[in-house]
Amino acid sequence: MSHIDQKLLELYVLKDENALQQRTEIEQHLDECAGCRELYARMEEMYSGFFADMEAEKENTSATVPARMRKSLVQQHASPLEEIRANYEIERAPIRRAVMFVRRHPFVTTTMSLFVFGFFALLGIELFKVTEMTDENPNYYHYNTHNDKVEIFNKGNKLLWSIPGKFLDLSSKIEGFRNTSFVQIADIDGDGINEVITNLDLGNQSNTNGITIYNQYGTLEKQFTLNDTSFHFRNVNYSQSKLFVNQFTIIHSSSNKLRFIAIVGNGRSPNFLAVLDSNFRVVGKYWHFGNLESIKVFHHTKIGKDLMLLTGCNDISDMDNNAFSFAVILDPDKVVGDFESSVTRGFGLNKSLAELYYIRFPKTDMELATTERLGAFIHKYQNNLMLLINIDNGSVEKQPISFQYFVSPDDFHVREVKFNSPTESTHQQLKKEGKIHSTFNQHYLEDLKSRVEYWDGEKWETKATTIRYSEVNQ
């Protein structure tokens, strides 16, 4: 059984407002644990007697000390907790505090000396520390959109530090909708202390196209970018001076080495996924023609290791209005060196050996009628049971289109397709305008499910299949 921290129990006896917020949890534990009940009773007895004697001392002293000298007496407070906080100086060593206490309260120490020394022997002198060392290890973050700051907290919900940021309200909404995090907290160097890693533009150190690392105190430790000044695709040269990190995540390789995974692009094709080691050296790149929108690391139970789910929009036939939403499952251990997707050849690189599955989601008649460009986004991962992928145009203003594909994480076949209410309204409007003629019902969804395709390395299949690597590097 996990016991209540002695300091928390002491503050609860003293009716500290923060401790009282945990009243239900504390009282439930006291009902179940005889040891903590005994400790609670002893604390209560000690403090009740302690402050009764303090009150007696106050009355005694008031009667014998001239009024002109009373202003130098120790100030009395309304509550025990205020008394402790006011008269105990936290920077002093425990023994020095005890000596000062005796000097200030001779009447109390005379009547309570035996009890106090017995109490010290039972709980240790450190119990009299009303304040404790602050846990300065970052544990989680929060967007304070009212003050435009990212706030960093420890596991005890104490604010450690904050830093100004831009567009935090938008960042918060995107995180909720896209199931991603622009701020992550992890122990990079293995010293037991977490760092704060972000691709947001925070503070005075502008780094809008890279990743920034802060230490536990909020001090900037490192910044890096992933710019490739030039590359080409199918004889077209691209000069990219400002590629930026759209998203990133952290993963441990099969050898338990920390890796950073970053999606890098400039808002249009092409993009690449970069794998970096704990020193931020590039281990490998996976090049893809088309936007990479979101990434998720998940554990594959059959394979017995972590894999990466990467989603977005394949733009290989964008000029013919044949761009399509896709999802690809990658083995992060095989993203080593520079390789290109086997579905978007043209960078002059070898095919990637990291691709396990590549899924193409069908276009709907609504997309064709509106020429909307849809993309695939990872919505959430449901307890090893389902990968939920949103196919949408990201719009809530004009004719929103959004479908959810429930994908099995075992063999990655699509189990079910669902839609949201605005999508049905879009269908009704387009049908009323005579732009489409289909009926929006369960058959419509089953048709979408049946038209999902899988790349086998050479051609598209309607059944879930892995990518085969015959002549993979040609």
Side-chain angles (χ1 to χ4, degrees), residues 399 424-435:
Q399 298 180 322
E424 186 175 18
S425 299
T426 298
H427 187 277
Q428 292 174 352
Q429 180 63 31
L430 292 174
K431 191 171 184 177
K432 181 179 179 181
E433 295 171 358
K435 295 180 179 179

Side-chain angles (χ1 to χ4, degrees), residues 105-118:
H105 306 92
F107 295 99
V108 177
T109 54
T110 300
T111 58
M112 295 186 65
S113 58
L114 292 177
F115 178 82
V116 170
F117 281 115

Side-chain angles (χ1 to χ4, degrees), residues 166-167 198-202 205-212 223-225 227 242-246 265:
K166 302 175 182 177
F167 312 113
T198 181
N199 62 328
L200 296 177
D201 189 12
L202 303 178
Q205 301 293 331
S206 179
N207 190 30
T208 56
N209 60 337
I211 293 179
T212 305
Q223 290 182 314
F224 66 93
T225 60
N227 285 337
K242 284 191 176 182
L243 294 173
F244 53 86
V245 175
N246 296 320

Side-chain angles (χ1 to χ4, degrees), residues 186-190 249-261 275-281 283 297 305-306 308 332-333 336:
D187 179 10
I188 296 176
D189 50 17
T249 189
I250 299 171
I251 187 175
H252 284 82
S253 67
S254 57
S255 58
N256 203 33
K257 294 181 179 179
L258 186 143
R259 294 285 186 262
F260 292 95
I261 313 295
V275 176
L276 303 96
D277 63 18
S278 57
N279 294 315
F280 313 111
R281 292 187 295 257
V283 175
V297 175
K305 65 180 299 184
D306 287 343
M308 295 186 297
D333 290 335
V336 179

Side-chain angles (χ1 to χ4, degrees), residues 69 161 225 235 272 347 411 419 472:
M69 296 179 60
W161 50 273
T225 60
N235 299 320
F272 66 86
F347 292 98
D411 58 6
F419 66 95
V472 69

Side-chain angles (χ1 to χ4, degrees), residues 278-323:
S278 57
N279 294 315
F280 313 111
R281 292 187 295 257
V282 176
V283 175
K285 295 178 182 177
Y286 169 80
W287 288 87
H288 188 279
F289 195 83
N291 275 4
L292 304 178
E293 303 287 2
S294 57
I295 186 170
K296 180 74 174 179
V297 175
F298 67 98
H299 187 76
H300 194 283
T301 53
K302 288 185 177 180
I303 298 178
K305 65 180 299 184
D306 287 343
L307 301 178
M308 295 186 297
L309 171 64
L310 185 64
T311 64
C313 184
N314 185 316
D315 290 340
I316 203 73
S317 300
D318 184 43
M319 298 299 293
D320 302 324
N321 197 28
N322 286 323

Side-chain angles (χ1 to χ4, degrees), residues 270-425:
N271 288 185
F272 66 86
L273 177 140
V275 176
L276 303 96
D277 63 18
S278 57
N279 294 315
F280 313 111
R281 292 187 295 257
V282 176
V283 175
K285 295 178 182 177
Y286 169 80
W287 288 87
H288 188 279
F289 195 83
N291 275 4
L292 304 178
E293 303 287 2
S294 57
I295 186 170
K296 180 74 174 179
V297 175
F298 67 98
H299 187 76
H300 194 283
T301 53
K302 288 185 177 180
I303 298 178
K305 65 180 299 184
D306 287 343
L307 301 178
M308 295 186 297
L309 171 64
L310 185 64
T311 64
C313 184
N314 185 316
D315 290 340
I316 203 73
S317 300
D318 184 43
M319 298 299 293
D320 302 324
N321 197 28
N322 286 323
F324 60 87
S325 301
F326 78 93
V328 59
I329 290 83
L330 301 172
D331 182 344
D333 290 335
K334 294 182 179 179
V335 183
V336 179
D338 276 21
F339 292 90
E340 66 184 26
S341 169
S342 63
V343 185
T344 64
R345 303 303 306 277
F347 292 98
L349 303 171
N350 288 334
K351 295 180 184 178
S352 173
L353 297 173
E355 292 179 324
L356 301 178
Y357 291 82
Y358 195 110
I359 308 171
R360 177 165 70 180
F361 298 100
K363 295 178 76 73
T364 67
D365 55 351
M366 288 184 283
E367 293 174 62
L368 297 172
T370 59
T371 65
E372 285 282 3
R373 185 178 183 277
L374 273 61
F377 301 88
I378 302 168
H379 185 61
K380 60 183 175 180
Y381 178 45
Q382 298 180 326
N383 301 321
N384 297 321
L385 298 177
M386 206 77 68
L387 299 168
L388 182 54
I389 299 173
N390 266 17
I391 310 295
D392 64 66
N393 58 354
S395 172
V396 293
E397 298 176 354
K398 295 182 179 180
Q399 298 180 322
I401 302 171
S402 179
F403 292 90
Q404 294 180 335
Y405 285 76
F406 293 79
V407 181
S408 167
D410 292 330
D411 58 6
F412 305 104
H413 78 274
V414 175
R415 294 183 180 180
E416 188 179 8
V417 182
K418 292 185 177 182
F419 66 95
N420 61 9
S421 297
T423 302
E424 186 175 18
S425 299

